[in-house]
Amino acid sequence: MRASSRRRGRPRAAGPRGLQSLPFESPGRESAAPSVLRVRPAPPPPSGPGGSVQGVLAFEPRELWLALHVRQLPLTAVSREREKQPIVVIDGADRQQRVLQVDAAARALGVRSGMSLAAALAVDAQIDARPRDVGLERALIERLAAMGQRFTSRVSIEPPDGVLLEVKGSLKLFGGIESLREQVQSHYAASGVRVSLALAPTTSGALAAARAGRPLVSTDLQALPGQLAPLSLRALRWPRDTLSRLAAMGVLTIGEALRLPRTGFARRFGPATLASLDRLVGRREEPRRAYIERERFYGRFEPAYEITQHDLLLAVLQPLLADLERFLQGRQRGITRLRCRFTHREVPPTCCTLSLAAPEARAARLGELLAEKLAQQVLPQAVILCELRTGPLVNRELVSGSIWSPGEHGHTPAGEMPALIEQLRARLGVDAVYGLCLVPEHRPESAWRVAEPGATRSGCLSVWSPFNRPLWLLTEPQLLQTTATGMPRYHGPLLLSDGPERIETGWWDGADVMRDYYTAVDARRARLWIFRERLPPNHWFLHGVFG
């Protein structure tokens, strides 16, 4: 007779106070009784001087993520400031044209999400129905992510309506968690976007709390499962079929899902769903793709009415210019080229381009130059869409102000000359104001080039030639008459005062020259720059006039 032995079960270890022990099975085998996620209690805090106890966290996470969630992203993306009519958003892909989201004014009238558009218009015929614009939603989320770079360099986007900020390294800079939360909230509220905030050691945990509308502040990874337990599973954005099957089992919250056996959960709902639970509570790493802003700015605005007046057009462009200023300030860069495009209904778009003499990033200055430019522009039709697009970003020299007032001790403000050039270009046109620079070429007619005012061009010399050169150069050398002795004449005989300077070059491109240059003085005491051909018939030519 064989003796039977009974294996006694081990007692479950109690977790820390306030954290319920959650059952987890080993993923590799099926067990008769579910095992337990055992949390090692934190060591007792050390005693400080004089016997006082210094409080410490049970577990300090490596990262703290602040999640931002836009609750009504489709409505926020298509809404504009100072709306008077009730607004509803419909899904353009829905043939039945059902209402997707409604604003507060439409909700007060009794319009609800899921109603047909016909039913909503039956409630109030003045309702403004707008189709959902996924492009505007993406642009809004990218703008919020760019604004978040003011608080941290680690920013990530969670499509379609979330932004994540890793803020552990920013807490001391912004005065702690509560101060940082208040500054983030006010910063986004000033831009007209209301966001829900939640802070947690894991990205999934912070996102789930923000989507549920719970202002979670969790800095302890051990306490995180208990803090997330009351939240609905819908905050995890799992597939509808998975949520329905769990609801049929009576599992509606995150805590109830965490208590399920791991092996059975993975077999029924897939390893990916189980992995999302592990990432939620920090049992598995969750790498994030960093958000990198584009290197050029693009903004568009579609006004609610057609614009025919320049002052109204400038008022519409102000929000875009403010976004551009924030875009440039975040990078400490500037622009030298800004292109505005105004779309009309029946005629080709009107383009307005600003070319700046120095890098600029101020919205007020760009608005002034656009006002000057638009004053010279004729709009063929009303404007229905405004777009701003910049050229490549350039470095902007940051200098401190001078202690001298303008004009005092010969002081000239650093930005006075570029400002004058930009003002003249805005009024007269880009082609009317330009700069000149020297290039390494001996032939006088090829030794200069048109360049942007104040800009450094490739191949341009930064210093003047050591040779004596006139300020004014003729486009084509002018043939001179000669005396009986073969000397040149120009308003009478010319007196040669300097020379000759021989220039013989250009054989490689077929435009070779062989000349002897002289400085001559005419009867009016004007100094001229003339040359004589070295080859017969040895004609004399006038090429320039000294100032």
Side-chain angles (χ1 to χ4, degrees):
M1 181 175 181
R2 298 177 62 183
S4 62
S5 61
R6 178 176 298 177
R7 182 177 298 176
R8 295 182 180 180
R10 297 180 181 177
R12 294 186 178 183
R17 181 176 300 176
L19 176 62
Q20 186 175 2
S21 297
L22 305 179
F24 282 86
E25 293 184 4
S26 173
R29 60 183 177 87
E30 188 78 40
S31 60
S35 59
V36 179
L37 170 63
R38 308 182 190 280
V39 182
R40 180 176 298 177
S47 299
S52 61
V53 178
Q54 298 176 348
V56 295
L57 287 175
F59 178 77
E60 184 179 358
R62 292 181 299 175
E63 298 176 340
L64 285 177
W65 290 92
L66 183 64
L68 290 72
H69 171 64
V70 184
R71 298 190 61 84
Q72 289 189 311
L73 179 62
L75 179 64
T76 306
V78 300
S79 299
R80 308 177 184 93
E81 296 182 0
R82 300 179 182 178
E83 298 283 1
K84 297 181 179 179
Q85 294 178 324
I87 302 175
V88 299
V89 179
I90 60 175
D91 191 352
D94 186 3
R95 295 183 178 181
Q96 298 180 357
Q97 290 190 319
R98 295 189 179 276
V99 175
L100 185 63
Q101 289 183 353
V102 300
D103 67 347
R107 189 179 299 108
L109 296 175
V111 181
R112 296 292 182 266
S113 299
M115 294 177 57
S116 65
L117 180 58
L121 294 176
V123 175
D124 189 343
Q126 301 299 324
I127 289 179
D128 186 3
R130 299 178 181 175
R132 182 179 184 181
D133 193 329
V134 180
L136 287 180
E137 296 174 18
R138 177 68 182 183
L140 176 60
I141 290 297
E142 289 182 354
R143 182 164 67 93
L144 298 182
M147 294 171 61
Q149 291 182 337
R150 174 181 178 181
F151 304 98
T152 176
S153 60
R154 296 184 60 186
V155 180
S156 180
I157 290 180
E158 179 65 21
D161 52 10
V163 177
L164 289 163
L165 312 178
E166 204 290 305
V167 295
K168 184 177 180 182
S170 305
L171 296 182
K172 292 183 179 180
L173 181 62
F174 292 93
I177 293 177
E178 292 303 323
S179 176
L180 176 62
R181 282 172 53 88
E182 293 177 1
Q183 293 184 53
V184 171
Q185 193 80 54
S186 60
H187 182 59
Y188 283 98
S191 65
V193 180
R194 298 182 60 183
V195 295
S196 300
L197 300 180
L199 185 138
T202 64
T203 58
S204 298
L207 281 170
R211 289 165 178 166
R214 181 177 176 181
L216 174 67
V217 177
S218 176
T219 59
D220 190 351
L221 193 60
Q222 291 182 348
L224 182 61
Q227 293 170 332
L228 296 177
L231 301 183
S232 172
L233 285 175
R234 289 178 296 180
L236 300 181
R237 302 278 177 89
W238 283 352
R240 183 176 301 179
D241 177 64
T242 301
L243 295 176
S244 300
R245 293 170 59 191
L246 287 169
M249 299 168 53
V251 179
L252 301 176
T253 64
I254 293 177
E256 294 168 347
L258 289 172
R259 292 183 181 92
L260 295 176
R262 290 176 57 85
T263 304
F265 186 90
R267 185 172 59 250
R268 292 188 179 186
F269 302 101
T273 308
L274 179 62
S276 66
L277 277 181
D278 290 342
R279 289 191 294 267
L280 184 70
V281 296
R283 291 171 56 89
R284 180 173 297 195
E285 295 291 337
E286 189 175 6
R288 301 294 310 183
R289 184 183 297 274
Y291 170 71
I292 301 176
E293 286 189 89
R294 58 188 183 276
E295 291 302 320
R296 299 192 186 190
F297 176 83
Y298 171 77
R300 65 191 298 269
F301 184 80
E302 185 177 355
Y305 50 88
E306 296 184 353
I307 299 177
T308 57
Q309 300 179 6
H310 287 171
D311 54 348
L312 296 179
L313 191 58
L314 288 172
V316 167
L317 290 175
Q318 289 305 318
L320 294 180
L321 293 175
D323 291 343
L324 173 59
E325 181 176 2
R326 287 190 291 266
F327 176 84
L328 295 174
Q329 285 182 348
R331 294 164 175 76
Q332 292 296 307
R333 306 291 292 277
I335 57 172
T336 57
R337 188 176 181 84
L338 179 63
R339 184 172 183 265
C340 305
R341 187 173 184 266
F342 307 113
T343 304
H344 314 285
R345 289 193 180 276
E346 301 176 354
V347 297
T350 301
C351 295
C352 176
T353 303
L354 283 181
S355 295
L356 308 177
E360 184 60 73
R362 296 170 298 168
R365 178 59 181 166
L366 295 174
E368 294 175 0
L369 296 176
L370 278 178
E372 293 284 352
K373 191 73 173 180
L374 289 175
Q376 313 296 327
Q377 199 92 26
V378 177
L379 298 176
Q381 281 188 358
V383 177
I384 61 174
L385 177 64
C386 304
E387 297 174 279
L388 282 185
R389 190 186 302 271
T390 66
L393 304 188
V394 296
N395 293 329
R396 183 160 55 101
E397 183 180 0
L398 303 178
V399 295
S400 59
S402 174
I403 61 176
W404 308 112
S405 301
E408 188 176 5
H409 297 278
H411 169 67
T412 301
E416 184 175 290
M417 184 57 66
L420 174 62
I421 294 173
E422 292 162 1
Q423 200 81 10
L424 291 175
R425 278 191 156 186
R427 293 186 180 184
L428 305 177
V430 177
D431 297 335
V433 182
Y434 54 87
L436 300 176
C437 71
L438 295 178
V439 296
E441 171 62 56
H442 290 286
R443 287 168 291 188
E445 59 269 23
S446 304
W448 61 278
R449 184 182 302 171
V450 173
E452 286 292 322
T456 302
R457 293 293 179 178
S458 176
C460 290
L461 298 177
S462 58
V463 295
W464 289 98
S465 170
F467 300 102
N468 190 17
R469 293 289 183 266
L471 180 62
W472 302 101
L473 200 68
L474 276 66
T475 304
E476 294 289 341
Q478 178 181 344
L479 180 64
L480 296 177
Q481 298 179 355
T482 58
T483 64
T485 59
M487 296 301 295
R489 293 175 49 88
Y490 186 76
H491 301 298
L494 295 178
L495 177 62
L496 303 182
S497 62
D498 190 15
E501 175 192 344
R502 179 162 297 177
I503 297 179
E504 186 171 348
T505 184
W507 53 267
W508 56 85
D509 59 6
D512 54 327
V513 297
M514 290 181 287
R515 304 168 181 170
D516 287 334
Y517 278 87
Y518 297 85
T519 300
V521 180
D522 65 1
R524 303 176 182 179
R525 309 302 300 173
R527 296 176 64 240
L528 309 178
W529 201 41
I530 63 176
F531 69 85
R532 179 175 180 270
E533 293 178 333
R534 292 193 61 240
L535 297 179
N538 304 116
H539 289 150
W540 290 87
F541 291 86
L542 172 65
H543 204 173
V545 180
F546 291 92

